[in-house]
Amino acid sequence: MSSRSFQWPDWLVRRDGPLSRESRLSAGPCGLGMVPARLVPTATTGSVCGFCSVGCGLRIHIRDGEPVNLTPDPSYPVNQGMACPKGWEALTPLRAPDRATCPLLRNPETHRFEPVDWSVALAVFTSRFKALMEKHGPESVAVLSTGQICTEEMAFLGALFKFGMGGLHADSNTRQCMATSVVAYKQAFGFDAPPYTFADLEESDVLVFIGANPCIAHPILWQRVMRNPNRPEIVVVDPRTTETALCATQHLALRPKTDLILLYGLACWLIEQGAHRPDFIRAHTSGFEAFAEFVRDFSVARVARETGLRPAQIERCARAIARGRAVGFWWTMGVNQGHQATRTAEAVINLALMTGNIGRPGTGANSITGQCNAMGSRLFANFTSLPAGRDYLNREDREDVARLLNIPLHRIPDRPSLAYDQILDAIDAGAIKGLWVVGTNPVHSWIGRDRWAALLEKLEFLVVQDMYATTETARHAHLLLPAAGWGEKDGTFINSERRIGLVRKVSRAPGRALPDFRIFQLVAEAWGCAEWFRDWSSPEAVFHILRRLSAGRPCDFSGVTGYRMLERCGGVQWPWPESETRSRGEEAAMEILAGPCRERRLFSDGRFFTPDGRARFWFEAPDLPPDRPDDRYPMVLLTGRGTSAQWHTNTRTGKSEVLRQLYPQKAYVEVNPLDAARLGLRSGERVEVSSRHAAVDAVAFVTPGVQPGQVFMPMHYGETNRLTVPAFDPLSRQPAYKHTAVRLRRATGGGNGKEAS
Ligand SMILES: Nc1nc2c(c(=O)[nH]1)N[C@H]1C(S)=C(S)[C@@H](COP(=O)(O)OP(=O)(O)OC[C@H]3O[C@@H](n4cnc5c(=O)[nH]c(N)nc54)[C@H](O)[C@@H]3O)O[C@H]1N2
Ligand SMILES: Nc1nc2c(c(=O)[nH]1)N[C@H]1C(S)=C(S)[C@@H](COP(=O)(O)OP(=O)(O)OC[C@H]3O[C@@H](n4cnc5c(=O)[nH]c(N)nc54)[C@H](O)[C@@H]3O)O[C@H]1N2
Ligand code: SF4
Ligand SMILES: [Mo]
């Protein structure tokens, strides 16, 4: 595929949002064209972007040993020369003035942070955590980590905490994001295995996006859709008229959290019309009969009534699926973050299975991951499952890991960790007293974040390991460990299509900040458990340990001989077992991985990872969401991504002046014109949004993009999660961020504004 010059697509900024046209234009394409002549680089290093799970290849331009600019890599199979604004601006957050440059210890008297040496920081770390564990037991200390550090680092942290330090409770922000997909894939396919390759986006004739807004959240994937030569039917299932919905041929603006009903309704219609594939179902699945019986109740009339869609809309969508030669089903947080999220994800999988849309080009039941290394975390974080999808409860799995890591079996816990929300409950109950937060900012991002005020009071020792000392979470730490960021360390990420990509150090971390990997090595030494980690001497050494752990598992990448192979091939998708490399020889293997095997999908043989090789149908009766609108809180608050220039809690993207021009600085709430009229609200006016938890101030943005009775706030603003009310999917324990009952009131200052009803 030839390279493409960068274009500034329209949807990068809000359509008719509060952003002025001037600021749009002045932002300009913030890459190539702006390199001053004196900075013309002399060499480039390849790396993978450290924001989202698309995992675009970037070439970092180096001059005199310093990175001066970057350009998207035209030869990288994922992005083929494209990048979104965050990618273009990836170097800027490294140079932010609020980088943490040395360990900071809170003075118990003045309550202020004071700089200390690493030796002091490590001594405090070990003595405080050890004291807690000795006095209150090993379960009194927990870890919350991230999908945004390298796989080698995640694996190190998980092994260090559980096998080295003897801890048990550890979870990460992938719980907020991917837990639902993990459970759904495990139950349906027998392994957490997103089956697709991005090329599938270009090969479908029908694409169905459910609760996903790739124009904003995975912009370069959307560019791949735009290259689809089949003039595909594009169905978007989303209560909002998102940027993606605007590009769709069908937009199903269903009532929030009624996806399960719609998906069962589609299955019912397809079976009634004989549009399913009995041959495929018989040969490769189990549980279809019971499923078919179950969905008989979901007539088009019922589905229309309960979802708010018109019967004709539902039938048109079902017909498109029935007629499609290659139908790809893609889902993201609109599915994963709900009170019945796992069953909803499984309902998507059911549709793909019953229509035989899996294992062929352009098909699949495809969960798009979020963070750059969510997939690495799912496989190797060692928190809820043992490495490479092994099970803490299974003795053979524990023995395998003990043997492969050369550690005694008794150091491996025989039960999994508490889930994220249960860890917080345990802090509240006084059972967990020490917490180590790595690469996540939960005081901003957690559902019903105000809860943290009480939790922080109860924590006797909070360690935060972050690039910045200024995050909402870092500000409360007793000890801050300064971390190097993306671009300041080596390692690998695994992107959404299972591609292991190489991340390179191109810049020195400021001051005494260290790569997370190095911090974990130092902790192991200080703790006195370094003997178990003698082989964990460098990121690449750990990569070889991970290869070993993956061998014989569905995610086997033992045939990836090292970083050189990743560099040569533009990343490698798992699986790639050692036999594939050995039978061809390394050079030939690299050639084929860089050529015909650049894009590979799973299940082309119709065999799944379940014991009988068959994929399974799962279903359950739909239930209403817990925090429902009532007289006091008559509207539904939806939350999600705001612009392609904002990343989560904005600790990184907020540091780029270019990106800052691309989004509104103040928290805003999207309101339908009918509601706005009733409230006497106009765009730009202040409005109070309150839920059963909190009341916050926001700027109104009146738009027909949200339906009457619904409002939307991006998660990037601290206000949003003050409003959200904790609720969880019972199977995945992922928070249901996308359904909160709220009330709007014009902020008049006098407090007697009108309320929406
Ligand atoms: N620019 C940018 N990109 C990102 C991120 C970022 O912070 N900024 N974060 C990354 C991460 S970690 C993730 S997980 C992904 C998330 O990527 P997405 O899931 O695509 O993003 P969201 O905006 O959270 O949610 C998608 C859509 O779900 C819709 N939705 C809400 N409720 C429902 C419902 O009940 N049913 C349906 N069908 N839809 C519903 C919302 O209106 C929203 O448009 O993005 C990744 N990419
Ligand atoms: N209301 C609402 N809330 C949501 C969501 C939603 O849709 N709606 N989405 C949820 C989802 S899907 C997600 S993934 C979460 C994300 O929530 P968080 O993980 O809390 O958000 P981030 O801002 O990505 O936090 C990452 C932190 O790691 C730091 N960091 C970056 N690189 C490194 C590194 O290399 N090493 C170390 N040590 N630190 C580093 C950053 O400075 C930042 O403080 O938010 C969730 N919250
Ligand atoms: S699409 Fe994702 S991986 Fe690609 S440049 Fe943007 S943030 Fe980075
Ligand atoms: Mo996420």
Side-chain angles (χ1 to χ4, degrees), residues 260-281:
L260 201 50
I261 297 162
L262 171 67
L263 295 164
Y264 290 155
L266 292 171
C268 174
W269 188 95
L270 290 164
I271 296 168
E272 273 176 5
Q273 302 293 317
H276 56 311
R277 283 268 312 271
D279 52 336
F280 184 90
I281 293 168

Side-chain angles (χ1 to χ4, degrees), residues 590-661:
M590 288 200 279
E591 224 153 89
I592 180 175
L593 280 169
C597 280
R598 266 163 84 109
E599 302 265 12
R600 285 176 295 123
R601 68 187 61 77
L602 302 178
F603 310 134
S604 49
D605 58 358
R607 278 197 66 76
F608 295 86
F609 299 121
T610 49
D612 61 4
R614 290 166 176 275
R616 290 202 51 183
F617 285 86
W618 292 86
F619 52 89
E620 196 172 307
D623 210 347
L624 295 172
D627 190 31
R628 290 192 290 280
D630 57 16
D631 288 349
R632 269 177 71 70
Y633 300 98
M635 306 183 87
V636 174
L637 168 70
L638 307 172
T639 66
R641 276 74 199 156
T643 63
S644 65
Q646 287 161 293
W647 180 257
H648 293 164
T649 71
N650 221 15
T651 67
R652 286 194 279 166
T653 39
K655 307 292 153 59
S656 153
E657 212 177 304
V658 172
L659 297 179
R660 274 202 306 273
Q661 292 187 58

Side-chain angles (χ1 to χ4, degrees), residues 195-377:
Y196 56 91
T197 177
F198 289 153
D200 285 321
L201 292 163
E202 299 173 9
E203 299 183 61
S204 311
D205 58 355
V206 180
L207 285 154
V208 187
F209 291 94
I210 306 145
N213 188 11
C215 281
I216 293 298
H218 301 93
I220 299 310
L221 288 195
W222 191 253
Q223 294 298 310
R224 301 286 302 261
V225 173
M226 293 292 94
R227 292 171 174 215
N228 184 315
N230 306 324
R231 299 171 60 84
E233 188 80 30
I234 300 177
V235 182
V236 170
V237 181
D238 194 313
R240 295 191 303 137
T241 311
T242 58
E243 295 74 1
T244 311
L246 284 175
C247 302
T249 53
Q250 300 183 30
H251 174 206
L252 272 55
L254 78 184
R255 257 178 224 132
K257 294 291 150 258
T258 58
D259 301 70
L260 201 50
I261 297 162
L262 171 67
L263 295 164
Y264 290 155
L266 292 171
C268 174
W269 188 95
L270 290 164
I271 296 168
E272 273 176 5
Q273 302 293 317
H276 56 311
R277 283 268 312 271
D279 52 336
F280 184 90
I281 293 168
R282 246 193 322 275
H284 304 296
T285 71
S286 63
F288 177 74
E289 275 71 33
F291 174 66
E293 182 60 32
F294 168 78
V295 296
R296 277 174 55 170
D297 290 344
F298 292 83
S299 66
V300 170
R302 170 182 174 188
V303 174
R305 204 168 52 243
E306 294 180 17
T307 60
L309 297 169
R310 291 189 310 279
Q313 277 181 295
I314 301 161
E315 282 175 8
R316 184 173 164 218
C317 172
R319 263 197 306 277
I321 295 169
R323 275 204 300 258
R325 178 187 45 79
V327 187
F329 298 90
W330 300 80
W331 85 83
T332 320
M333 290 308 117
V335 168
N336 279 10
Q337 298 172 341
H339 63 291
Q340 276 185 308
T342 303
R343 292 300 181 232
T344 310
E346 287 167 347
V348 180
I349 296 173
N350 293 346
L351 281 182
L353 292 176
M354 63 182 277
T355 54
N357 275 301
I358 191 133
R360 289 183 290 114
T363 65
N366 305 331
S367 154
I368 314 173
T369 55
Q371 303 169 80
C372 51
N373 202 17
M375 203 61 226
S377 153

Side-chain angles (χ1 to χ4, degrees), residues 304-565:
R305 204 168 52 243
E306 294 180 17
T307 60
L309 297 169
R310 291 189 310 279
Q313 277 181 295
I314 301 161
E315 282 175 8
R316 184 173 164 218
C317 172
R319 263 197 306 277
I321 295 169
R323 275 204 300 258
R325 178 187 45 79
V327 187
F329 298 90
W330 300 80
W331 85 83
T332 320
M333 290 308 117
V335 168
N336 279 10
Q337 298 172 341
H339 63 291
Q340 276 185 308
T342 303
R343 292 300 181 232
T344 310
E346 287 167 347
V348 180
I349 296 173
N350 293 346
L351 281 182
L353 292 176
M354 63 182 277
T355 54
N357 275 301
I358 191 133
R360 289 183 290 114
T363 65
N366 305 331
S367 154
I368 314 173
T369 55
Q371 303 169 80
C372 51
N373 202 17
M375 203 61 226
S377 153
R378 284 153 74 165
L379 287 176
F380 291 106
N382 199 30
F383 290 162
T384 37
S385 51
L386 281 165
R390 292 179 175 87
D391 188 351
Y392 274 105
L393 297 172
N394 181 321
R395 189 182 165 92
E396 259 174 52
D397 281 357
R398 293 199 303 275
E399 283 169 354
D400 265 5
V401 173
R403 181 175 45 80
L404 290 163
L405 294 184
N406 208 8
I407 50 169
L409 181 62
H410 70 82
R411 297 198 79 92
I412 301 186
D414 57 8
R415 62 207 161 100
S417 164
L418 291 177
Y420 204 130
D421 65 302
Q422 297 162 330
I423 289 178
L424 302 197
D425 288 346
I427 297 173
D428 204 17
I432 290 179
K433 296 174 186 296
L435 185 66
W436 182 11
V437 175
V438 180
T440 184
N441 187 12
V443 176
H444 176 135
S445 63
W446 187 248
I447 190 163
R449 58 172 280 192
D450 284 359
R451 173 174 205 198
W452 274 101
L455 301 182
L456 291 164
E457 287 282 310
K458 290 192 174 170
L459 280 173
E460 290 179 22
F461 190 48
L462 171 65
V463 180
V464 175
Q465 185 166 319
D466 203 288
M467 294 166 66
Y468 308 101
T470 48
T471 73
E472 285 92 335
T473 311
R475 272 187 245 139
H476 298 282
H478 298 107
L479 175 66
L480 181 112
L481 302 179
W486 171 91
E488 296 168 342
K489 54 189 178 178
D490 290 329
T492 58
F493 291 157
I494 308 179
N495 82 349
S496 206
E497 49 160 9
R498 312 178 315 285
R499 183 178 303 278
I500 306 162
L502 193 55
V503 182
R504 281 301 194 193
K505 175 175 175 176
V506 290
S507 185
R508 267 179 58 91
R512 281 174 283 158
L514 292 173
D516 296 285
F517 190 90
R518 184 67 193 135
I519 298 175
F520 302 141
Q521 279 182 322
L522 292 174
V523 168
E525 278 163 28
W527 196 272
C529 59
E531 61 183 303
W532 310 119
F533 300 101
R534 247 182 235 118
D535 298 343
W536 301 53
S537 53
S538 69
E540 192 160 7
V542 172
F543 182 77
H544 292 299
I545 295 174
L546 302 182
R547 286 174 57 203
R548 223 157 60 210
L549 285 162
S550 78
R553 308 287 302 166
C555 58
D556 193 336
F557 57 88
S558 53
V560 180
T561 49
Y563 286 178
R564 190 176 77 103
M565 188 181 241

